[in-house]
Amino acid sequence: MRASDLNLQELLEFDPGGGPLRWAGRRVLILDVLALGLLRKELIATVGERVARGILTRMGYAHGWALAQELQGKFAWDAPVEWRNAGARVGPLQGWGRHERIPRDPAGEHVPLAETLWHDSYEAEQHVLHFGRSEEPACWTYTGFASGYLSFCHQREVYVLEKQCAAQGHPTCHVVGEFKETWGEAIEPYQAFYRREEVDSALQQVTAQLRSVEEQLRRRRRELQRTDGPEAPPVSPAMRRALELARRIAGTDTRVLITGESGVGKERIARLVHEQSPRRERRFVPVNCGAIPGSLLESELFGHARGAFTGAAQERAGVFEAAHGGTLFLDEIGEMPLSTQVALLRVLQEGEIRRVGESLARKVDVRVLAATNRSLQDEVEAGRFRKDLYYRLRVVEIQVPPLRERRDEILELARTFIRIAAERMRSHVVGLTQPAAQKLLAYAWPGNIRELENAMEWAVALAQGPRIEVEDLPPELSGPLPAADHEDAALPLERVERRVILAALRRNEGNRDRTARQLGISTATLWRKLKRYQADGDLP
């Protein structure tokens, strides 16, 4: 039997009354190309074009390999070459498109292993439909299929690439297949799409990003419950001014610097700006500059090339590329090393990034919002923050007041947090006893809203009855700690905060991670404060 003898009428088995269809004995589905185009669209929207290309290429490769293995023994081929050529017949017989074999020129310097023109590609058609003209070839499933089929037939690595694609605006697709050794170094940029471990690694990164987005959505839902529900707390004049300013500048691409103590809700303000901006349909990507070691921060922001440094086993896009078209929120910007500040300034000026270890410039369209709990002016004077970067970031400054200046909001915020925690834990706690409420009002809240939220979650978990008692509160609230409006009223607020932090550190026997969690502040913030206390002689 020859490859040209394969006939669709003989291969396709079906019952006119309905039921399973079979092609060459294998069950198939009639699936219109729009469904496959929508799958491609959703994959790219969810995991990005590079990972989507890897998934579709690997799918095609596995399909081609399995079909070659099955067809090898299914028909009595006149010669092995007919079995190998049968792979080129499958696409046209299944409606993928049609081949036009390019005649081999014996006088040519090199004759490719396989070379065809591919007409009416459904992949190119669907890619253009959903994304417009492409800069790169788009027949990923087909080239993967051809590579898998020929690799099994020859029992050697064969890679099929598109030299040109109809998705790029060419009249047809030009496809060439060669052994890996023949391609040489030219195949290296494409091998990542075929290696399962690299596709899996990229998927793991995307999965981690999706989990982060899911957590962001959960936080946003909680924030909406806090501020937009029937129990929305009253807003102090200072907080009302901050929210009003955020809404006013949301519709522009103005850069914003959000200032305030740890835990006051700076990220909440940044999300408000993003969600009321024209970029709201694109990603909001938060990065805590204080939580990433300085040596890795530049790679996290801008990405890196494979081999750029020890441990860079593969190339990786940074968060600027991930936020393309959307908003990048740089929290704790004051923790950024000076070397990274230089690179960030260049991005803000030129609108393009360079991955670590690469010279290629990549255009990015990102709105940058930054936040800090430090005085950047003091950091500039101390030489720890670039003056030119400070003015680039601080086009508009939004100051978020600490919770101690919004005391009329404490109880309503606490009740909102109680409701959210009770729903999540399936608890019957509904509120606070009067003594517990007085404890909340008397406390200085150095960790601000984040500390209040954590405290209410703690209390809901421990409460035995429908209302939170004083003994259900965290130790720093239930004990005789300094109060902002009682015995310590005459002390400066910074001194009250210092006493609260040191008392919590003593109760936790010096465990700084646990202390930071209880106070609702970052470990980096706690370390910075303790360093200052040590310099002042309050710590040994």
Side-chain angles (χ1 to χ4, degrees):
M1 183 175 180
R2 296 171 299 178
S4 58
D5 293 332
L6 293 174
N7 183 281
L8 183 60
Q9 290 181 328
E10 295 173 357
L11 291 170
L12 189 61
E13 306 169 37
F14 64 94
D15 182 345
L21 288 79
R22 298 191 181 278
W23 190 95
R26 174 186 293 185
R27 183 172 179 178
V28 295
L29 300 174
I30 296 178
L31 192 65
D32 64 79
V33 295
L34 180 60
L36 295 174
L38 290 172
L39 172 63
R40 171 180 293 239
K41 179 182 178 182
E42 290 302 314
L43 276 174
I44 291 174
T46 304
V47 300
E49 184 168 312
R50 182 173 180 80
V51 177
R53 180 175 180 176
I55 293 172
L56 293 176
T57 302
R58 285 289 307 169
M59 182 181 77
Y61 188 92
H63 180 202
W65 182 281
L67 187 62
Q69 188 175 28
E70 183 178 342
L71 291 183
Q72 183 180 26
K74 194 170 190 66
F75 301 104
W77 304 103
D78 290 355
V81 68
E82 297 295 339
W83 162 55
R84 289 196 294 270
N85 291 339
R89 286 280 293 158
V90 169
L93 290 174
Q94 292 190 349
W96 295 9
R98 57 187 177 86
H99 280 284
E100 179 186 342
R101 189 176 296 278
I102 297 178
R104 298 192 173 195
D105 180 8
E109 293 182 4
H110 172 70
V111 177
L113 177 67
E115 185 175 16
T116 63
L117 295 179
W118 183 237
H119 298 273
D120 304 320
S121 164
Y122 84 86
E123 285 195 275
E125 168 196 306
Q126 287 297 308
H127 196 94
V128 171
L129 174 65
H130 293 292
F131 301 103
R133 181 172 292 185
S134 174
E135 295 182 1
E136 299 288 337
C139 297
W140 307 330
T141 309
Y142 172 69
T143 51
F145 172 87
S147 299
Y149 194 98
L150 291 174
S151 293
F152 182 84
C153 289
H154 291 279
Q155 290 299 296
R156 292 172 60 186
E157 287 185 73
V158 177
Y159 292 98
V160 177
L161 302 180
E162 281 187 282
K163 294 295 187 179
Q164 63 183 38
C165 179
Q168 297 173 287
H170 298 288
T172 187
C173 303
H174 180 193
V175 182
V176 177
E178 296 278 19
F179 291 116
K180 176 185 176 183
E181 297 80 7
T182 306
W183 282 118
E185 294 182 358
I187 195 61
E188 290 184 4
Y190 302 94
Q191 283 188 285
F193 302 119
Y194 290 88
R195 293 189 184 116
R196 176 176 292 136
E197 62 273 14
E198 295 202 20
V199 175
D200 287 349
S201 175
L203 274 173
Q204 288 172 6
Q205 293 179 17
V206 171
T207 300
Q209 292 173 351
L210 288 175
R211 286 178 182 147
S212 173
V213 171
E214 185 179 13
E215 177 57 31
Q216 292 166 21
L217 289 173
R218 281 197 293 266
R219 287 202 303 267
R220 176 57 181 157
R221 188 161 51 245
R222 292 197 296 268
E223 289 166 3
L224 289 173
Q225 288 175 317
R226 295 173 202 165
T227 59
D228 297 337
E231 300 178 35
V235 179
S236 65
M239 192 62 188
R240 191 179 298 117
R241 285 194 297 272
L243 293 173
E244 176 60 24
L245 181 56
R247 293 188 180 99
R248 286 172 60 189
I249 54 89
T252 71
D253 257 359
T254 302
R255 296 191 192 103
V256 181
L257 179 64
I258 306 169
T259 58
E261 297 176 6
S262 292
V264 294
K266 296 188 290 294
E267 184 172 333
R268 173 188 168 196
I269 296 292
R271 288 182 182 278
L272 175 65
V273 171
H274 171 73
E275 289 166 8
Q276 296 197 11
S277 76
R279 296 174 180 264
R280 57 184 170 273
E281 300 299 327
R282 305 304 294 269
R283 292 188 63 187
F284 175 89
V285 181
V287 177
N288 188 325
C289 300
I292 303 171
S295 58
L296 298 179
L297 182 57
E298 192 166 344
S299 170
E300 180 70 18
L301 293 176
F302 312 123
H304 61 253
R306 182 178 181 180
F309 51 83
T310 303
Q314 61 187 29
E315 67 176 28
R316 181 175 181 273
V319 293
F320 263 95
E321 290 179 74
H324 181 72
T327 303
L328 179 62
F329 174 55
L330 299 176
D331 199 4
E332 295 196 35
I333 190 74
E335 306 283 350
M336 182 177 286
L338 282 169
S339 59
T340 310
Q341 292 177 32
V342 174
L344 175 60
L345 181 63
R346 185 177 64 245
V347 174
L348 298 181
Q349 290 173 336
E350 301 173 5
E352 59 186 30
I353 60 101
R354 289 179 176 85
R355 294 180 180 177
V356 177
E358 276 189 358
S359 58
L360 173 67
R362 303 168 187 263
K363 285 289 185 182
V364 288
D365 174 24
V366 176
R367 182 181 190 178
V368 175
L369 307 177
T372 180
N373 55 18
R374 296 185 180 189
S375 167
L376 288 190
Q377 285 183 317
D378 292 344
E379 295 297 300
V380 168
E381 292 174 4
R384 292 187 293 266
F385 202 86
R386 292 182 61 95
K387 186 175 183 179
D388 46 4
L389 178 59
Y390 171 61
Y391 287 114
R392 282 277 180 179
L393 294 171
R394 187 186 171 271
V395 179
V396 173
E397 180 177 351
I398 299 177
Q399 296 179 340
V400 185
L403 187 56
R404 61 178 173 270
E405 296 177 10
R406 301 152 53 188
R407 306 197 69 80
D408 54 341
E409 300 179 21
I410 291 175
L411 291 184
E412 285 300 330
L413 282 169
R415 289 165 185 146
T416 302
F417 292 142
I418 290 169
R419 186 184 71 247
I420 295 170
E423 289 175 358
R424 186 171 64 252
M425 299 180 193
R426 299 181 180 179
S427 168
H428 297 296
V429 176
V430 295
L432 297 152
T433 62
Q434 189 61 32
Q438 289 300 319
K439 284 285 185 181
L440 300 190
L441 292 172
Y443 186 58
W445 296 110
N448 292 293
I449 293 176
R450 187 185 299 131
E451 184 184 8
L452 176 59
E453 182 176 14
N454 292 342
M456 293 305 95
E457 185 169 347
W458 169 303
V460 169
L462 295 184
Q464 299 295 311
R467 287 179 174 77
I468 292 171
E469 304 282 353
V470 170
E471 56 267 25
D472 300 325
L473 298 172
E476 58 268 23
L477 277 84
S478 58
L481 296 177
D485 54 357
H486 286 175
E487 66 269 18
D488 287 323
L491 290 176
L493 288 173
E494 193 278 335
R495 190 64 187 172
V496 174
E497 177 187 86
R498 181 176 300 213
R499 291 182 58 182
V500 170
I501 290 175
L502 293 176
L505 186 66
R506 286 193 298 272
R507 282 193 303 278
N508 287 298
E509 299 177 344
N511 188 312
R512 300 187 178 192
D513 290 337
R514 188 163 62 241
T515 300
R517 285 197 301 271
Q518 286 187 4
L519 293 174
I521 60 179
S522 70
T523 306
T525 299
L526 179 63
W527 277 78
R528 188 171 61 252
K529 290 179 182 294
L530 293 180
K531 187 176 181 180
R532 187 167 68 247
Y533 302 164
Q534 188 175 31
D536 293 343
D538 287 347
L539 275 177

